[in-house]
Amino acid sequence: MKSAAALSAALLLSFSTTAAAVEASASDFARQKFDFLVVGGGTAGLVVAARLTEDPKITVGIIEAGAYRPGDPLIEVPQSAVAPSNPNGKPLIGNPDYDWKFESTPQPGLNGTSLPYSRGKVVGGSSAINFIVWQRGAKQEYDLWSTAFGNGPRWSFAGLLPYFKKIEAWTAPPKSPLTVAVDPSAGLAGAHGTKGPLAISYNNFQTSIEQPAAQAGINMGLKENFNPDLGDNFGFSNVARSVHPTKGIRTYAGNSYYTPNAQRKNLVLLTGAEVTQVVFATSRKGITATGVKEVILSAGSIKTPQLLELSGVGNKQLLSKYKIPVVLNLPGVGENLQDHAFAGQDFRLKPGAVTLDNLNFNATFKAQQQELFNSSGKGLLSWTIPIAAPVTLQSLIGTTETNKLVGSLTQSLNKIKQTPLQKVQYKAQLALLKAGEVPQLNLIVYPTGNFVSAAAPNTSYVTMTIMEVHPYSRGSVHIGSAQPLAAPIINPDLLSIPYEAQILVKAQQFSERWMASQPVGKLVVGPNAPSAAVISDAEWESFVRTHTQTINHPIGTTAMAPRAMGGVVDPQLKVYGLQNVRIVDAGIFPLTISVPIQQTVYAVAELGADLIKETWGIKA
Ligand SMILES: Cc1cc2nc3c(=O)[nH]c(=O)nc-3n(C[C@H](O)[C@H](O)[C@H](O)COP(=O)(O)OP(=O)(O)OC[C@H]3O[C@@H](n4cnc5c(N)ncnc54)[C@H](O)[C@@H]3O)c2cc1C
Ligand SMILES: *[C@@H]1O[C@H](CO)[C@@H](O)[C@H](O)[C@H]1NC(C)=O
Ligand SMILES: *[C@@H]1O[C@H](CO)[C@@H](O)[C@H](O)[C@H]1NC(C)=O
Ligand SMILES: *[C@@H]1O[C@H](CO)[C@@H](O)[C@H](O)[C@H]1NC(C)=O
Ligand SMILES: *[C@@H]1O[C@H](CO)[C@@H](O)[C@H](O)[C@H]1NC(C)=O
């Protein structure tokens, strides 16, 4: 059952009476007058709302389509998201109570398959359902945001660093057990903040795999990195996680930016309500969202472009096709979708190895781990993926092979009719690729089966996955109907460029050598899926193209770049051509980064909140 309503004249809403508790009753919410309306109570939206309402005179209303689920163990016990087969029954990812459960269009680069596209639909957004990995990109990647797209020094690594710190209540890694050693002289503490809302910590439990896997990788020439958070993130480090250090629970925008501030009189959350349109008035002053100082769109990189198009802001040809009156022709909306492709293979381990699989087949072990988690917040239930090693292509296959692949890539790119944005992006990306300092792949070691293939009974596995971090494919997300509650059409166009599959093939072959080398090799029986019979590049490519997924990092669909280049927002995050609408979410990244993106989304939101405060002279 759905019903519709108008709100402060600025937004149209549709209520889902099937969603759980509405925090503010819809009629109360509609009666109030807000200074700012935030669309989407997700990762970025809750940061903005929390920061603006530090000033008690400023009123903020948040509209979130999902429900508020404080203390929900499915969200808070890290294992619910991290284990691919959750032994507790109900899944988190893919569960319609938490996930929009979108699907991509059939992907030509993936033998025509459609991919599941998860997006959080709950207070906290995707930070409530993600895999909890907490990583920071390389300095050069943020510096490109600042220079190549003319966004200025605040969007450089140095400009963002105070905002990375502002998020964090960071706890240093324990002395042991750890994936790699800790070097106190590396200055890790100096890269982190300790007074922010979001508790960040490190694993306190090791499976049988991470130490020997890291050691074997280091022996193969991939370096140890004692401080990946000051701009050089290459190699093996102890990967941080958005988990509370003593409670062991997931920390996310919901329990860290909203719950502690829920009592603020000037912060009002409406749940179970989907914004279907931003209502604009056009006058001599320009195009204005009516009734408020500003509307902040934080519906994420998939839903924000859809909402703009439904509201008449986008490519005018596309809008006309669906008979939506054009408020503003802004053809960059929904274009430039970049996502991280994710491919893996699994290896069978010898009996006695301890991985996530053991929770499934050893009831004694599971009960011990549950008890450990309940009593101390420690152990495998609060454990997260410990190795995510960003590496250059040269470090995996050498300079000669890399240069050959760069040659094939350059030829492919020359055949594309490039947009002005692509021209700038490709030039910058190729320069980074050739210089060989900024990672092109992130090697993620996932000690479990059931991801690439179904686990056999009583057997443990390691799945070696690879995240391709600097794609050249560009996709899009657009409305496919004027019906506001329909899902948008999502096409990331993964692996559309041969080079993208080629480097995944090379990385898979590297993983196979890696798992055969010591000290990890002695734990491994051998390749499981694919079998050891997959050897040639062609065989591997067929496997890669039929097993690649998205790791759920879509960005760029409302890029922060000059309007003439195809950008949608300016360096103030204001939408070009609109008087009082900003976008604060993952869609504004002009170019993606070498790591999972949540930390950067939070930093974008912290800086975005400051930009709004500066505009309106808000002090606190
Ligand atoms: C399964 C998964 C695993 C991931 N793993 C990791 C990881 O391990 N590490 C990492 O760094 N990153 C990870 N990410 C990525 C990261 O979590 C996201 O990129 C980030 O949280 C996005 O933040 P956002 O604010 O842009 O959007 P979101 O957090 O998705 O927030 C958007 C919010 O808007 C709401 N909304 C949308 N449309 C409307 C509307 N019309 N009206 C009202 N509300 C609306 C949504 O319900 C949602 O709550 C993962 C993501 C997923 C989905
Ligand atoms: C690709 O898809 C076709 C058609 O669905 C199927 O017949 C074929 O087996 C697939 N190829 C691989 C390698 O899985
Ligand atoms: C199950 O777990 C218990 C407790 O950790 C351990 O002692 C036992 O050896 C395990 N059994 C198997 C079959 O792995
Ligand atoms: C741990 O806590 C959960 C949730 O409160 C409970 O269901 C479970 O029985 C507890 N397990 C143990 C071993 O204490
Ligand atoms: C798995 O191990 C348990 C206990 O060690 C045993 O009872 C069971 O039969 C085994 N299952 C299979 C399918 O081998």
Side-chain angles (χ1 to χ4, degrees), residues 78-85 93 131 133 207 209-210 213 342-347 349 354-357 383-388 443-452 460-466 514-515 551:
Q79 190 237 346
S80 318
V82 172
S85 93
I93 295 164
F131 299 134
V133 171
T207 73
I209 286 298
E210 44 267 45
F342 186 48
Q345 61 180 305
D346 61 26
F347 296 81
L349 300 178
V354 174
T355 64
L356 285 173
D357 302 294
W383 172 101
T384 62
I385 293 170
I387 298 183
L443 307 178
I444 300 178
V445 177
Y446 198 11
T448 184
N450 277 327
F451 183 76
V452 176
S460 306
Y461 296 81
V462 60
T463 303
M464 302 299 288
T465 66
I466 301 135
W514 181 6
M515 285 301 105
I551 196 169

Short mmCIF file of all heavy atoms in Angstrom, two decimals, residues 78-85 93 131 133 207 209-210 213 342-347 349 354-357 383-388 443-452 460-466 514-515 551:
data_model
loop_
_atom_site.label_atom_id
_atom_site.label_comp_id
_atom_site.label_asym_id
_atom_site.label_seq_id
_atom_site.Cartn_x
_atom_site.Cartn_y
_atom_site.Cartn_z
N PRO A 78 29.00 -8.41 12.76
CA PRO A 78 29.69 -8.32 11.48
C PRO A 78 29.56 -9.58 10.62
O PRO A 78 29.46 -9.51 9.40
CB PRO A 78 31.14 -8.07 11.89
CG PRO A 78 31.02 -7.29 13.17
CD PRO A 78 29.84 -7.92 13.87
N GLN A 79 29.52 -10.73 11.27
CA GLN A 79 29.48 -11.99 10.54
C GLN A 79 28.26 -12.09 9.61
O GLN A 79 28.33 -12.75 8.58
CB GLN A 79 29.48 -13.13 11.55
CG GLN A 79 29.68 -14.49 10.97
CD GLN A 79 28.52 -15.38 11.35
OE1 GLN A 79 27.74 -15.06 12.25
NE2 GLN A 79 28.41 -16.49 10.66
N SER A 80 27.15 -11.42 9.95
CA SER A 80 25.95 -11.49 9.09
C SER A 80 26.24 -10.99 7.69
O SER A 80 25.63 -11.44 6.72
CB SER A 80 24.80 -10.64 9.63
OG SER A 80 24.67 -10.73 11.00
N ALA A 81 27.14 -10.01 7.56
CA ALA A 81 27.46 -9.49 6.23
C ALA A 81 28.65 -10.20 5.62
O ALA A 81 28.71 -10.40 4.41
CB ALA A 81 27.75 -7.99 6.32
N VAL A 82 29.59 -10.59 6.47
CA VAL A 82 30.88 -11.06 5.95
C VAL A 82 30.83 -12.51 5.48
O VAL A 82 31.43 -12.86 4.48
CB VAL A 82 31.98 -10.86 7.03
CG1 VAL A 82 33.28 -11.49 6.61
CG2 VAL A 82 32.16 -9.37 7.29
N ALA A 83 30.09 -13.37 6.21
CA ALA A 83 30.04 -14.78 5.82
C ALA A 83 29.09 -14.95 4.64
O ALA A 83 27.93 -14.55 4.72
CB ALA A 83 29.58 -15.62 7.00
N PRO A 84 29.54 -15.57 3.54
CA PRO A 84 28.66 -15.68 2.37
C PRO A 84 27.48 -16.59 2.62
O PRO A 84 26.42 -16.41 2.04
CB PRO A 84 29.57 -16.24 1.27
CG PRO A 84 30.77 -16.78 1.96
CD PRO A 84 30.89 -16.09 3.28
N SER A 85 27.62 -17.59 3.50
CA SER A 85 26.43 -18.35 3.86
C SER A 85 26.28 -18.17 5.35
O SER A 85 27.07 -18.64 6.14
CB SER A 85 26.58 -19.82 3.48
OG SER A 85 27.07 -20.57 4.55
N ILE A 93 22.54 -9.10 3.29
CA ILE A 93 22.61 -8.62 1.91
C ILE A 93 21.63 -9.42 1.07
O ILE A 93 21.56 -10.65 1.18
CB ILE A 93 24.06 -8.76 1.40
CG1 ILE A 93 24.97 -7.83 2.23
CG2 ILE A 93 24.16 -8.43 -0.08
CD1 ILE A 93 26.44 -8.13 2.11
N PHE A 131 30.52 -4.64 3.72
CA PHE A 131 31.45 -5.65 4.25
C PHE A 131 32.43 -5.09 5.29
O PHE A 131 33.37 -5.77 5.68
CB PHE A 131 32.26 -6.29 3.11
CG PHE A 131 31.46 -7.02 2.07
CD1 PHE A 131 31.70 -6.83 0.72
CD2 PHE A 131 30.46 -7.91 2.44
CE1 PHE A 131 30.97 -7.50 -0.25
CE2 PHE A 131 29.73 -8.59 1.48
CZ PHE A 131 29.98 -8.38 0.13
N VAL A 133 34.94 -3.16 5.46
CA VAL A 133 36.35 -2.85 5.21
C VAL A 133 36.53 -1.32 5.26
O VAL A 133 35.73 -0.58 4.69
CB VAL A 133 36.79 -3.38 3.83
CG1 VAL A 133 38.17 -2.87 3.46
CG2 VAL A 133 36.74 -4.90 3.82
N THR A 207 42.05 -16.20 11.30
CA THR A 207 41.82 -17.52 10.76
C THR A 207 43.21 -18.13 10.46
O THR A 207 44.23 -17.49 10.72
CB THR A 207 40.99 -17.47 9.46
OG1 THR A 207 41.81 -16.96 8.42
CG2 THR A 207 39.75 -16.59 9.63
N ILE A 209 44.55 -18.42 7.76
CA ILE A 209 45.04 -18.01 6.45
C ILE A 209 45.81 -16.69 6.41
O ILE A 209 46.82 -16.57 5.73
CB ILE A 209 43.83 -17.92 5.47
CG1 ILE A 209 43.39 -19.33 5.10
CG2 ILE A 209 44.15 -17.14 4.23
CD1 ILE A 209 44.44 -20.15 4.37
N GLU A 210 45.37 -15.67 7.16
CA GLU A 210 45.89 -14.35 6.82
C GLU A 210 47.39 -14.16 7.02
O GLU A 210 48.05 -13.55 6.17
CB GLU A 210 45.10 -13.20 7.45
CG GLU A 210 44.69 -13.32 8.90
CD GLU A 210 43.30 -13.91 9.05
OE1 GLU A 210 43.01 -14.91 8.38
OE2 GLU A 210 42.51 -13.40 9.86
N ALA A 213 49.30 -16.17 4.32
CA ALA A 213 49.02 -15.61 2.98
C ALA A 213 49.78 -14.30 2.80
O ALA A 213 50.39 -14.06 1.75
CB ALA A 213 47.52 -15.40 2.79
N PHE A 342 34.73 -7.45 -9.65
CA PHE A 342 35.19 -8.28 -8.54
C PHE A 342 35.13 -9.73 -8.99
O PHE A 342 34.06 -10.24 -9.32
CB PHE A 342 34.23 -8.02 -7.38
CG PHE A 342 34.55 -8.63 -6.07
CD1 PHE A 342 35.81 -8.55 -5.52
CD2 PHE A 342 33.55 -9.27 -5.34
CE1 PHE A 342 36.08 -9.08 -4.27
CE2 PHE A 342 33.81 -9.80 -4.09
CZ PHE A 342 35.08 -9.71 -3.56
N ALA A 343 36.31 -10.37 -9.06
CA ALA A 343 36.35 -11.76 -9.54
C ALA A 343 37.14 -12.59 -8.55
O ALA A 343 38.01 -12.07 -7.85
CB ALA A 343 37.02 -11.82 -10.91
N GLY A 344 36.87 -13.86 -8.47
CA GLY A 344 37.58 -14.71 -7.52
C GLY A 344 37.74 -16.13 -7.99
O GLY A 344 37.25 -16.53 -9.05
N GLN A 345 38.48 -16.89 -7.20
CA GLN A 345 38.62 -18.34 -7.40
C GLN A 345 38.80 -18.92 -6.00
O GLN A 345 39.26 -18.22 -5.09
CB GLN A 345 39.83 -18.66 -8.27
CG GLN A 345 41.15 -18.19 -7.70
CD GLN A 345 42.35 -18.52 -8.58
OE1 GLN A 345 42.57 -19.67 -8.93
NE2 GLN A 345 43.14 -17.51 -8.93
N ASP A 346 38.39 -20.19 -5.82
CA ASP A 346 38.58 -20.74 -4.47
C ASP A 346 39.51 -21.94 -4.45
O ASP A 346 39.73 -22.61 -5.46
CB ASP A 346 37.25 -20.98 -3.75
CG ASP A 346 36.34 -21.96 -4.43
OD1 ASP A 346 36.83 -22.84 -5.16
OD2 ASP A 346 35.11 -21.86 -4.22
N PHE A 347 40.10 -22.15 -3.28
CA PHE A 347 41.09 -23.21 -3.04
C PHE A 347 40.62 -24.02 -1.84
O PHE A 347 40.17 -23.44 -0.84
CB PHE A 347 42.46 -22.61 -2.72
CG PHE A 347 43.06 -21.82 -3.85
CD1 PHE A 347 42.66 -20.50 -4.07
CD2 PHE A 347 44.00 -22.39 -4.70
CE1 PHE A 347 43.20 -19.77 -5.12
CE2 PHE A 347 44.55 -21.66 -5.75
CZ PHE A 347 44.15 -20.35 -5.96
N LEU A 349 41.28 -26.23 1.41
CA LEU A 349 42.32 -26.28 2.44
C LEU A 349 42.38 -27.67 3.09
O LEU A 349 41.39 -28.41 3.06
CB LEU A 349 42.07 -25.22 3.51
CG LEU A 349 42.02 -23.77 3.00
CD1 LEU A 349 41.72 -22.82 4.15
CD2 LEU A 349 43.33 -23.38 2.31
N VAL A 354 41.24 -23.33 10.09
CA VAL A 354 40.08 -22.64 10.65
C VAL A 354 39.76 -21.43 9.78
O VAL A 354 40.59 -20.53 9.60
CB VAL A 354 40.34 -22.20 12.10
CG1 VAL A 354 39.18 -21.36 12.62
CG2 VAL A 354 40.55 -23.42 13.00
N THR A 355 38.55 -21.42 9.21
CA THR A 355 38.07 -20.30 8.39
C THR A 355 36.60 -20.06 8.77
O THR A 355 36.06 -20.73 9.66
CB THR A 355 38.13 -20.65 6.89
OG1 THR A 355 37.24 -21.74 6.66
CG2 THR A 355 39.55 -21.02 6.45
N LEU A 356 35.95 -19.15 8.06
CA LEU A 356 34.51 -18.92 8.30
C LEU A 356 33.70 -20.19 8.09
O LEU A 356 32.65 -20.38 8.70
CB LEU A 356 33.98 -17.84 7.36
CG LEU A 356 34.33 -16.39 7.66
CD1 LEU A 356 33.83 -15.51 6.51
CD2 LEU A 356 33.71 -15.92 8.97
N ASP A 357 34.19 -21.06 7.21
CA ASP A 357 33.45 -22.31 6.93
C ASP A 357 33.22 -23.13 8.19
O ASP A 357 32.19 -23.80 8.31
CB ASP A 357 34.24 -23.17 5.93
CG ASP A 357 34.51 -22.45 4.63
OD1 ASP A 357 33.54 -22.18 3.91
OD2 ASP A 357 35.68 -22.15 4.35
N TRP A 383 34.85 -10.64 13.30
CA TRP A 383 36.00 -10.61 12.39
C TRP A 383 35.58 -10.06 11.03
O TRP A 383 34.44 -10.25 10.61
CB TRP A 383 36.49 -12.04 12.29
CG TRP A 383 37.53 -12.37 11.29
CD1 TRP A 383 38.85 -12.56 11.51
CD2 TRP A 383 37.33 -12.62 9.89
NE1 TRP A 383 39.49 -12.90 10.35
CE2 TRP A 383 38.58 -12.94 9.34
CE3 TRP A 383 36.22 -12.59 9.04
CZ2 TRP A 383 38.75 -13.24 7.99
CZ3 TRP A 383 36.38 -12.88 7.71
CH2 TRP A 383 37.64 -13.20 7.19
N THR A 384 36.46 -9.35 10.37
CA THR A 384 36.17 -8.91 9.00
C THR A 384 37.36 -9.22 8.09
O THR A 384 38.43 -9.60 8.57
CB THR A 384 35.89 -7.40 8.95
OG1 THR A 384 37.06 -6.72 9.38
CG2 THR A 384 34.72 -7.02 9.81
N ILE A 385 37.15 -9.03 6.81
CA ILE A 385 38.16 -9.38 5.81
C ILE A 385 39.48 -8.67 6.12
O ILE A 385 39.53 -7.45 6.18
CB ILE A 385 37.65 -9.02 4.40
CG1 ILE A 385 36.46 -9.93 4.06
CG2 ILE A 385 38.77 -9.15 3.37
CD1 ILE A 385 35.71 -9.52 2.81
N PRO A 386 40.56 -9.43 6.38
CA PRO A 386 41.77 -8.84 6.92
C PRO A 386 42.81 -8.43 5.90
O PRO A 386 43.67 -7.61 6.19
CB PRO A 386 42.34 -9.99 7.75
CG PRO A 386 41.93 -11.21 6.98
CD PRO A 386 40.62 -10.89 6.31
N ILE A 387 42.75 -9.01 4.70
CA ILE A 387 43.75 -8.63 3.70
C ILE A 387 43.03 -8.03 2.51
O ILE A 387 42.20 -8.70 1.87
CB ILE A 387 44.58 -9.83 3.20
CG1 ILE A 387 45.35 -10.44 4.37
CG2 ILE A 387 45.54 -9.39 2.10
CD1 ILE A 387 46.25 -11.59 3.95
N ALA A 388 43.29 -6.78 2.26
CA ALA A 388 42.84 -6.13 1.04
C ALA A 388 44.07 -5.34 0.61
O ALA A 388 44.33 -4.26 1.13
CB ALA A 388 41.64 -5.24 1.30
N LEU A 443 43.89 -6.91 -3.94
CA LEU A 443 43.86 -8.37 -3.75
C LEU A 443 43.21 -8.66 -2.39
O LEU A 443 43.77 -8.32 -1.35
CB LEU A 443 45.27 -8.95 -3.79
CG LEU A 443 46.09 -8.57 -5.03
CD1 LEU A 443 47.50 -9.17 -4.92
CD2 LEU A 443 45.41 -9.05 -6.31
N ILE A 444 42.03 -9.24 -2.44
CA ILE A 444 41.26 -9.43 -1.21
C ILE A 444 41.19 -10.91 -0.87
O ILE A 444 40.71 -11.72 -1.66
CB ILE A 444 39.85 -8.81 -1.37
CG1 ILE A 444 39.99 -7.30 -1.66
CG2 ILE A 444 39.01 -9.06 -0.13
CD1 ILE A 444 38.69 -6.58 -1.88
N VAL A 445 41.74 -11.25 0.29
CA VAL A 445 41.82 -12.65 0.71
C VAL A 445 40.64 -12.92 1.64
O VAL A 445 40.48 -12.27 2.68
CB VAL A 445 43.16 -12.92 1.43
CG1 VAL A 445 43.21 -14.36 1.92
CG2 VAL A 445 44.33 -12.64 0.48
N TYR A 446 39.86 -13.91 1.24
CA TYR A 446 38.56 -14.12 1.89
C TYR A 446 38.55 -15.59 2.36
O TYR A 446 38.33 -16.50 1.56
CB TYR A 446 37.54 -13.86 0.79
CG TYR A 446 36.12 -13.58 1.16
CD1 TYR A 446 35.72 -13.33 2.46
CD2 TYR A 446 35.15 -13.56 0.16
CE1 TYR A 446 34.40 -13.07 2.74
CE2 TYR A 446 33.82 -13.29 0.43
CZ TYR A 446 33.46 -13.06 1.73
OH TYR A 446 32.14 -12.81 2.00
N PRO A 447 38.86 -15.82 3.64
CA PRO A 447 39.04 -17.20 4.08
C PRO A 447 37.70 -17.91 4.27
O PRO A 447 37.21 -18.10 5.38
CB PRO A 447 39.78 -17.07 5.42
CG PRO A 447 40.03 -15.62 5.62
CD PRO A 447 39.12 -14.87 4.73
N THR A 448 37.12 -18.36 3.17
CA THR A 448 35.82 -19.02 3.18
C THR A 448 35.54 -19.61 1.81
O THR A 448 36.10 -19.16 0.81
CB THR A 448 34.70 -18.02 3.54
OG1 THR A 448 33.47 -18.72 3.62
CG2 THR A 448 34.56 -16.93 2.49
N GLY A 449 34.67 -20.61 1.77
CA GLY A 449 34.13 -21.08 0.50
C GLY A 449 32.76 -20.44 0.28
O GLY A 449 32.47 -19.39 0.86
N ASN A 450 31.94 -21.06 -0.56
CA ASN A 450 30.56 -20.62 -0.77
C ASN A 450 30.45 -19.28 -1.47
O ASN A 450 29.39 -18.67 -1.46
CB ASN A 450 29.79 -20.54 0.55
CG ASN A 450 29.25 -21.89 0.97
OD1 ASN A 450 28.88 -22.70 0.11
ND2 ASN A 450 29.21 -22.16 2.25
N PHE A 451 31.54 -18.80 -2.04
CA PHE A 451 31.44 -17.54 -2.77
C PHE A 451 31.51 -17.82 -4.27
O PHE A 451 30.62 -17.44 -5.02
CB PHE A 451 32.54 -16.59 -2.30
CG PHE A 451 32.46 -15.25 -2.97
CD1 PHE A 451 31.51 -14.33 -2.58
CD2 PHE A 451 33.31 -14.93 -4.02
CE1 PHE A 451 31.40 -13.10 -3.23
CE2 PHE A 451 33.21 -13.71 -4.65
CZ PHE A 451 32.25 -12.80 -4.26
N VAL A 452 32.55 -18.53 -4.68
CA VAL A 452 32.67 -18.89 -6.10
C VAL A 452 31.95 -20.22 -6.37
O VAL A 452 31.32 -20.41 -7.39
CB VAL A 452 34.15 -18.97 -6.53
CG1 VAL A 452 34.28 -19.44 -7.98
CG2 VAL A 452 34.83 -17.62 -6.34
N SER A 460 37.15 -26.62 4.62
CA SER A 460 37.45 -25.18 4.67
C SER A 460 38.12 -24.74 3.37
O SER A 460 38.77 -25.54 2.70
CB SER A 460 38.40 -24.88 5.83
OG SER A 460 37.86 -25.39 7.03
N TYR A 461 37.95 -23.47 3.07
CA TYR A 461 38.43 -22.92 1.80
C TYR A 461 39.06 -21.54 2.02
O TYR A 461 38.80 -20.88 3.02
CB TYR A 461 37.26 -22.71 0.82
CG TYR A 461 36.57 -23.97 0.41
CD1 TYR A 461 35.61 -24.56 1.25
CD2 TYR A 461 36.87 -24.60 -0.79
CE1 TYR A 461 34.98 -25.73 0.88
CE2 TYR A 461 36.24 -25.78 -1.16
CZ TYR A 461 35.29 -26.33 -0.33
OH TYR A 461 34.66 -27.49 -0.70
N VAL A 462 39.80 -21.12 1.01
CA VAL A 462 40.12 -19.70 0.90
C VAL A 462 39.71 -19.26 -0.50
O VAL A 462 39.96 -19.96 -1.48
CB VAL A 462 41.61 -19.40 1.18
CG1 VAL A 462 42.54 -20.10 0.22
CG2 VAL A 462 41.85 -17.88 1.13
N THR A 463 39.02 -18.12 -0.56
CA THR A 463 38.65 -17.55 -1.85
C THR A 463 39.54 -16.34 -2.09
O THR A 463 39.61 -15.43 -1.26
CB THR A 463 37.17 -17.13 -1.85
OG1 THR A 463 36.38 -18.28 -1.54
CG2 THR A 463 36.75 -16.59 -3.21
N MET A 464 40.28 -16.38 -3.19
CA MET A 464 41.18 -15.29 -3.54
C MET A 464 40.43 -14.39 -4.51
O MET A 464 40.10 -14.81 -5.62
CB MET A 464 42.45 -15.83 -4.19
CG MET A 464 43.19 -16.83 -3.30
SD MET A 464 43.74 -16.11 -1.74
CE MET A 464 45.07 -15.08 -2.34
N THR A 465 40.14 -13.18 -4.08
CA THR A 465 39.36 -12.30 -4.94
C THR A 465 40.19 -11.10 -5.37
O THR A 465 41.17 -10.75 -4.71
CB THR A 465 38.08 -11.81 -4.24
OG1 THR A 465 38.46 -10.97 -3.16
CG2 THR A 465 37.23 -12.96 -3.75
N ILE A 466 39.77 -10.53 -6.47
CA ILE A 466 40.48 -9.39 -7.03
C ILE A 466 39.47 -8.32 -7.37
O ILE A 466 38.46 -8.58 -8.01
CB ILE A 466 41.20 -9.79 -8.33
CG1 ILE A 466 42.19 -10.92 -8.04
CG2 ILE A 466 41.91 -8.61 -8.96
CD1 ILE A 466 42.12 -12.00 -9.06
N TRP A 514 50.49 -17.74 -5.97
CA TRP A 514 50.58 -17.27 -4.58
C TRP A 514 50.15 -18.38 -3.61
O TRP A 514 50.83 -18.70 -2.63
CB TRP A 514 49.70 -16.03 -4.47
CG TRP A 514 49.62 -15.33 -3.15
CD1 TRP A 514 50.32 -15.60 -2.01
CD2 TRP A 514 48.76 -14.22 -2.86
NE1 TRP A 514 49.95 -14.71 -1.01
CE2 TRP A 514 49.00 -13.88 -1.51
CE3 TRP A 514 47.82 -13.50 -3.60
CZ2 TRP A 514 48.31 -12.82 -0.89
CZ3 TRP A 514 47.14 -12.45 -2.98
CH2 TRP A 514 47.40 -12.12 -1.64
N MET A 515 49.03 -19.01 -3.89
CA MET A 515 48.51 -20.04 -2.98
C MET A 515 49.33 -21.33 -3.03
O MET A 515 49.17 -22.20 -2.19
CB MET A 515 47.04 -20.33 -3.28
CG MET A 515 46.09 -19.26 -2.81
SD MET A 515 46.18 -18.94 -1.00
CE MET A 515 47.08 -17.38 -0.98
N ILE A 551 31.44 -5.35 -6.70
CA ILE A 551 31.65 -5.31 -5.26
C ILE A 551 30.90 -4.11 -4.65
O ILE A 551 31.17 -3.67 -3.55
CB ILE A 551 33.15 -5.36 -4.91
CG1 ILE A 551 33.38 -5.70 -3.45
CG2 ILE A 551 33.88 -4.13 -5.34
CD1 ILE A 551 34.81 -6.04 -3.07
#
